Amino acid sequence: MTTPDETEALPVRSEASGAMAPHAPGETAKAAPGTLGTADGNEPGKDTALPVSRRRRRPLRTSLIVLAAVAVAAAAGLAATGALGGDSTEAPSSAPAGPPATATVKRTTLTDSETVDGNLGYGDATAVQAPPASSASSASSSASAQSGQSGQSTDSGESEGSNLVTWLPEEGKVIKRGETVYSVDQQKVPLLYGSFPFYRTLEEGSEGGDVKILEKNLSALGYTGFTVDDDYTSGTADAVEEWQDDMNREETGAVQPGDAVVASGARRIADVKTAPGAALSGSPLSWSGTERIISVDLDVQFEDLVKKGTKATVELPDDTTVDAVVTDIGTPSTSGSGDSADGSDGSGSGDSGDEATLPIELTVKNQKGLGRYQAAAVEVTLKAETRENVLTVPVNALVAQRGGGYAVEVVTAEGTEHRPVKLGMFADGMVEVSGKGIAEGTAVGVPK
């Protein structure tokens, strides 16, 4: 039996007993894994030099050491949680974590829109067709019959009225009702407004829609003495003679097909295709409308966004904007790659690159807002539908529900809860929502 003063060597313990092993003065020890740091400042788990032997103390003293270590560990744990208060500067533990960020339910106006590329210009140009040669020659010969009118007669007895173009307008010129489109053999050919061209000789006794077109124009130009209707009367013939006199033409009282060019309204000259001195034939020039419009080749996937009357905003190259409205919708077409630069027909392997598009035109009422631009690439924002005074949340606030449908994570004083919502219009990263417990100002969770 060993006396209290006797000692015996013991092996070093490596188990995580939770107790601090005693050591002689000047010795250091390795703390067991999971225990507190030693009193001399060694950190938990830090390797230090180990003694070769230990002196066994009485069981009672060993138990006291173990209890002291447990007490120290418990105190350290309480201090770490802040339960003991004191001078600790660490904040107490917070409530259960909520969403990483929040947004509020807002009441606003949503507009379903799509921005596409467009072109500012005067629209597609259409060709002005010369009248049949027989009609033009007849009109020219008749006009040049009076002495000194055409200046085309010669001593050699050649036929007067050679049907030559003697005057043409400049590109960009706007021609209105009654103004000259071109001249043939020094005879003015004016513009009249109507839905179809003259196709026959109009004279006293003629009846029909073309007679009404002529009389409407004569009336608009200030001529009187007839009733605007389908009947070509003597009063109509008298007005025609007066009109012919004002144009320095022979006063025949009848109108030939080549005596005027008929169009739906004023026109802007787009391209002059002939020159003075050439025989009048084919298409001497082309023209377009007088107001600038916006043309868009719309991808057919956006076809449901447009109809006549659809409103749009047009952004010009200088970042200014003007309002526009869809006034014409064409027929969808497929524009293929066509002939390639090397002359091939593009029918080789690979995708053809064909894209179906829908041509649309938009009218800009505020022409001054377009500035001095005659032609330019623009951006068109089509506004298909508008929902006013609706509740909205960011799209990323939606949470898919098990079994279908969506909800939002509502933040309350007690925590968070998922409330189902019914979805409406999507626009600009927002979505229209409605449902029980969803009101303006409600806080909802969103990704950070």
Side-chain angles (χ1 to χ4, degrees):
M1 181 174 182
T2 306
T3 63
D5 294 333
E6 292 178 336
T7 62
E8 98 178 81
L10 293 175
V12 177
R13 298 181 59 186
S14 60
E15 299 84 14
S17 63
M20 296 179 60
H23 58 84
E27 292 181 331
T28 59
K30 179 178 179 181
T35 62
L36 297 174
T38 59
D40 59 359
N42 289 332
E43 298 178 2
K46 185 175 182 180
D47 291 336
T48 56
L50 294 175
V52 176
S53 63
R54 290 288 182 270
R55 298 174 65 89
R56 178 176 290 181
R57 306 296 181 182
R58 288 187 177 185
L60 178 59
R61 186 167 182 174
T62 301
S63 298
L64 292 176
I65 293 174
V66 172
L67 291 174
V70 172
V72 172
L78 290 173
T81 62
L84 297 180
D87 297 331
S88 174
T89 58
E90 295 186 14
S93 58
S94 59
T102 61
T104 57
V105 177
K106 295 182 179 180
R107 187 174 295 278
T108 186
T109 296
L110 286 183
T111 300
D112 185 13
S113 63
E114 185 69 33
T115 299
V116 297
D117 294 331
N119 290 289
L120 169 67
Y122 288 91
D124 294 334
T126 57
V128 176
Q129 296 294 332
S134 58
S135 298
S137 298
S138 175
S140 177
S141 298
S142 175
S144 61
Q146 53 183 339
S147 176
Q149 286 292 323
S150 69
Q152 296 295 319
S153 61
T154 65
D155 294 337
S156 62
E158 292 180 3
S159 174
E160 298 183 27
S162 53
N163 199 35
L164 295 181
V165 176
T166 53
W167 180 87
L168 290 162
E170 298 179 350
E171 291 183 5
K173 178 178 175 60
V174 174
I175 300 176
K176 299 178 180 179
R177 188 199 320 255
E179 296 180 347
T180 304
V181 178
Y182 53 79
S183 293
V184 180
D185 297 337
Q186 287 294 82
Q187 302 302 302
K188 297 178 181 179
V189 178
L191 171 66
L192 299 182
Y193 294 172
S195 56
F196 59 89
F198 295 149
Y199 59 93
R200 59 175 178 160
T201 299
L202 298 178
E203 54 191 353
E204 189 173 346
S206 298
E207 295 180 358
D210 47 357
V211 174
K212 191 171 186 178
I213 288 176
L214 174 63
E215 292 181 338
K216 278 185 176 181
N217 280 276
L218 291 173
S219 178
L221 291 171
Y223 300 98
T224 60
F226 57 91
T227 301
V228 176
D229 55 19
D230 293 343
D231 296 327
Y232 199 115
T233 64
S234 59
T236 306
D238 291 341
V240 168
E241 289 182 10
E242 187 179 354
W243 173 53
Q244 291 171 332
D245 180 57
D246 291 340
M247 291 191 297
N248 293 323
R249 303 188 67 140
E250 182 186 7
E251 300 170 28
T252 64
V255 177
Q256 302 289 335
D259 287 349
V261 178
V262 180
S264 60
R267 285 293 180 265
R268 177 181 182 273
I269 302 301
D271 184 28
V272 177
K273 303 179 179 180
T274 189
L280 179 64
S281 63
S283 172
L285 53 82
S286 63
W287 56 20
S288 66
T290 59
E291 290 192 344
R292 289 165 289 180
I293 64 171
I294 309 298
S295 300
V296 175
D297 286 329
L298 187 67
D299 193 310
V300 292
Q301 66 175 311
F302 302 127
E303 184 175 359
D304 61 338
L305 289 179
V306 294
K307 60 182 180 180
K308 287 188 177 180
T310 297
K311 295 181 180 179
T313 299
V314 179
E315 183 176 340
L316 302 173
D318 60 1
D319 296 331
T320 59
T321 60
V322 292
D323 294 330
V325 62
V326 175
T327 52
D328 187 62
I329 300 176
T331 302
S333 62
T334 301
S335 57
S337 57
D339 294 343
S340 60
D342 60 3
S344 64
D345 60 3
S347 60
S349 60
D351 295 336
S352 64
D354 292 355
E355 294 183 359
T357 58
L358 179 70
I360 65 172
E361 286 186 359
L362 300 96
T363 298
V364 178
K365 185 176 182 180
N366 180 20
Q367 289 284 302
K368 290 184 178 180
L370 295 172
R372 298 173 63 90
Y373 293 110
Q374 301 296 306
V378 297
E379 288 190 349
V380 181
T381 301
L382 299 167
K383 303 174 183 178
E385 182 183 0
T386 297
R387 296 276 292 165
E388 297 181 353
N389 198 33
V390 295
L391 297 176
T392 64
V393 297
V395 173
N396 58 358
L398 298 178
V399 179
Q401 289 188 297
R402 190 184 299 270
Y406 290 89
V408 291
E409 184 181 10
V410 175
V411 180
T412 66
E414 292 77 22
T416 63
E417 61 181 69
H418 288 85
R419 295 178 184 173
V421 291
K422 181 180 179 181
L423 307 184
M425 178 186 292
F426 288 76
D428 300 326
M430 305 294 287
V431 57
E432 176 188 356
V433 294
S434 60
K436 186 176 180 180
I438 306 299
E440 184 178 2
T442 301
V444 296
V446 295
K448 195 168 184 178

